[in-house]
mmCIF file of all heavy atoms in Angstrom:
data_model
loop_
_atom_site.group_PDB
_atom_site.id
_atom_site.type_symbol
_atom_site.label_atom_id
_atom_site.label_comp_id
_atom_site.label_asym_id
_atom_site.label_seq_id
_atom_site.Cartn_x
_atom_site.Cartn_y
_atom_site.Cartn_z
ATOM 1 N N ARG A 63 -24.806 7.573 16.936
ATOM 2 C CA ARG A 63 -24.790 6.820 15.674
ATOM 3 C C ARG A 63 -23.539 5.973 15.540
ATOM 4 O O ARG A 63 -23.583 4.855 14.992
ATOM 5 C CB ARG A 63 -24.895 7.802 14.503
ATOM 6 C CG ARG A 63 -24.768 7.157 13.122
ATOM 7 C CD ARG A 63 -25.936 6.240 12.823
ATOM 8 N NE ARG A 63 -25.822 5.631 11.514
ATOM 9 C CZ ARG A 63 -25.111 4.520 11.256
ATOM 10 N NH1 ARG A 63 -24.460 3.911 12.255
ATOM 11 N NH2 ARG A 63 -25.056 4.020 10.036
ATOM 12 N N LEU A 64 -22.421 6.484 16.015
ATOM 13 C CA LEU A 64 -21.147 5.782 15.845
ATOM 14 C C LEU A 64 -20.801 4.858 17.015
ATOM 15 O O LEU A 64 -19.804 4.138 16.961
ATOM 16 C CB LEU A 64 -20.017 6.792 15.644
ATOM 17 C CG LEU A 64 -20.127 7.674 14.394
ATOM 18 C CD1 LEU A 64 -18.987 8.676 14.352
ATOM 19 C CD2 LEU A 64 -20.147 6.828 13.118
ATOM 20 N N LYS A 65 -21.601 4.880 18.062
ATOM 21 C CA LYS A 65 -21.327 4.068 19.245
ATOM 22 C C LYS A 65 -21.278 2.585 18.887
ATOM 23 O O LYS A 65 -22.121 2.067 18.167
ATOM 24 C CB LYS A 65 -22.399 4.308 20.301
ATOM 25 C CG LYS A 65 -22.126 3.609 21.626
ATOM 26 C CD LYS A 65 -23.190 3.971 22.647
ATOM 27 C CE LYS A 65 -22.911 3.296 23.988
ATOM 28 N NZ LYS A 65 -23.924 3.673 25.004
ATOM 29 N N GLY A 66 -20.256 1.921 19.389
ATOM 30 C CA GLY A 66 -20.132 0.491 19.159
ATOM 31 C C GLY A 66 -19.492 0.123 17.841
ATOM 32 O O GLY A 66 -19.259 -1.053 17.560
ATOM 33 N N GLY A 67 -19.175 1.122 17.011
ATOM 34 C CA GLY A 67 -18.556 0.860 15.718
ATOM 35 C C GLY A 67 -17.042 0.897 15.798
ATOM 36 O O GLY A 67 -16.444 0.905 16.880
ATOM 37 N N ASN A 68 -16.420 0.964 14.650
ATOM 38 C CA ASN A 68 -14.956 0.935 14.578
ATOM 39 C C ASN A 68 -14.324 2.318 14.495
ATOM 40 O O ASN A 68 -13.102 2.433 14.454
ATOM 41 C CB ASN A 68 -14.525 0.107 13.367
ATOM 42 C CG ASN A 68 -14.922 -1.351 13.494
ATOM 43 O OD1 ASN A 68 -14.824 -1.931 14.578
ATOM 44 N ND2 ASN A 68 -15.377 -1.952 12.397
ATOM 45 N N THR A 69 -15.164 3.372 14.439
ATOM 46 C CA THR A 69 -14.626 4.727 14.353
ATOM 47 C C THR A 69 -14.331 5.254 15.749
ATOM 48 O O THR A 69 -15.204 5.272 16.617
ATOM 49 C CB THR A 69 -15.628 5.671 13.659
ATOM 50 O OG1 THR A 69 -15.951 5.167 12.370
ATOM 51 C CG2 THR A 69 -15.041 7.066 13.523
ATOM 52 N N ARG A 70 -13.109 5.684 15.959
ATOM 53 C CA ARG A 70 -12.720 6.243 17.248
ATOM 54 C C ARG A 70 -12.947 7.756 17.208
ATOM 55 O O ARG A 70 -12.417 8.444 16.330
ATOM 56 C CB ARG A 70 -11.264 5.911 17.554
ATOM 57 C CG ARG A 70 -10.975 4.415 17.541
ATOM 58 C CD ARG A 70 -9.534 4.108 17.865
ATOM 59 N NE ARG A 70 -9.234 4.362 19.262
ATOM 60 C CZ ARG A 70 -8.017 4.247 19.796
ATOM 61 N NH1 ARG A 70 -6.993 3.928 19.023
ATOM 62 N NH2 ARG A 70 -7.816 4.484 21.079
ATOM 63 N N VAL A 71 -13.730 8.257 18.162
ATOM 64 C CA VAL A 71 -14.187 9.645 18.121
ATOM 65 C C VAL A 71 -13.534 10.467 19.221
ATOM 66 O O VAL A 71 -13.517 10.077 20.388
ATOM 67 C CB VAL A 71 -15.715 9.729 18.270
ATOM 68 C CG1 VAL A 71 -16.178 11.182 18.108
ATOM 69 C CG2 VAL A 71 -16.416 8.829 17.257
ATOM 70 N N SER A 72 -12.994 11.638 18.824
ATOM 71 C CA SER A 72 -12.504 12.632 19.768
ATOM 72 C C SER A 72 -13.347 13.891 19.609
ATOM 73 O O SER A 72 -13.714 14.257 18.492
ATOM 74 C CB SER A 72 -11.035 12.975 19.500
ATOM 75 O OG SER A 72 -10.208 11.840 19.659
ATOM 76 N N VAL A 73 -13.656 14.539 20.720
ATOM 77 C CA VAL A 73 -14.443 15.773 20.696
ATOM 78 C C VAL A 73 -13.621 16.892 21.329
ATOM 79 O O VAL A 73 -13.079 16.735 22.421
ATOM 80 C CB VAL A 73 -15.775 15.611 21.452
ATOM 81 C CG1 VAL A 73 -16.499 16.953 21.555
ATOM 82 C CG2 VAL A 73 -16.669 14.586 20.764
ATOM 83 N N THR A 74 -13.530 18.023 20.619
ATOM 84 C CA THR A 74 -12.851 19.213 21.132
ATOM 85 C C THR A 74 -13.895 20.302 21.351
ATOM 86 O O THR A 74 -14.711 20.573 20.468
ATOM 87 C CB THR A 74 -11.792 19.724 20.143
ATOM 88 O OG1 THR A 74 -10.815 18.702 19.939
ATOM 89 C CG2 THR A 74 -11.093 20.965 20.685
ATOM 90 N N VAL A 75 -13.894 20.903 22.538
ATOM 91 C CA VAL A 75 -14.829 21.992 22.841
ATOM 92 C C VAL A 75 -14.045 23.287 22.970
ATOM 93 O O VAL A 75 -12.866 23.290 23.339
ATOM 94 C CB VAL A 75 -15.635 21.704 24.120
ATOM 95 C CG1 VAL A 75 -16.494 20.456 23.942
ATOM 96 C CG2 VAL A 75 -14.731 21.534 25.330
ATOM 97 N N SER A 76 -14.717 24.400 22.680
ATOM 98 C CA SER A 76 -13.988 25.654 22.497
ATOM 99 C C SER A 76 -13.894 26.555 23.716
ATOM 100 O O SER A 76 -13.117 27.503 23.709
ATOM 101 C CB SER A 76 -14.598 26.451 21.341
ATOM 102 O OG SER A 76 -15.941 26.783 21.634
ATOM 103 N N ASP A 77 -14.685 26.287 24.780
ATOM 104 C CA ASP A 77 -14.547 27.149 25.956
ATOM 105 C C ASP A 77 -15.105 26.461 27.202
ATOM 106 O O ASP A 77 -15.651 25.361 27.150
ATOM 107 C CB ASP A 77 -15.202 28.517 25.743
ATOM 108 C CG ASP A 77 -16.700 28.430 25.455
ATOM 109 O OD1 ASP A 77 -17.373 27.551 26.019
ATOM 110 O OD2 ASP A 77 -17.191 29.258 24.677
ATOM 111 N N LEU A 78 -14.991 27.152 28.341
ATOM 112 C CA LEU A 78 -15.398 26.591 29.625
ATOM 113 C C LEU A 78 -16.879 26.247 29.668
ATOM 114 O O LEU A 78 -17.264 25.192 30.175
ATOM 115 C CB LEU A 78 -15.078 27.601 30.740
ATOM 116 C CG LEU A 78 -13.629 27.685 31.214
ATOM 117 C CD1 LEU A 78 -13.427 28.943 32.044
ATOM 118 C CD2 LEU A 78 -13.265 26.465 32.029
#
Side-chain angles (χ1 to χ4, degrees):
R63 175 66 180 84
L64 298 177
K65 186 176 181 178
N68 295 320
T69 303
R70 303 181 71 184
V71 185
S72 298
V73 173
T74 299
V75 297
S76 62
D77 60 35
L78 281 166

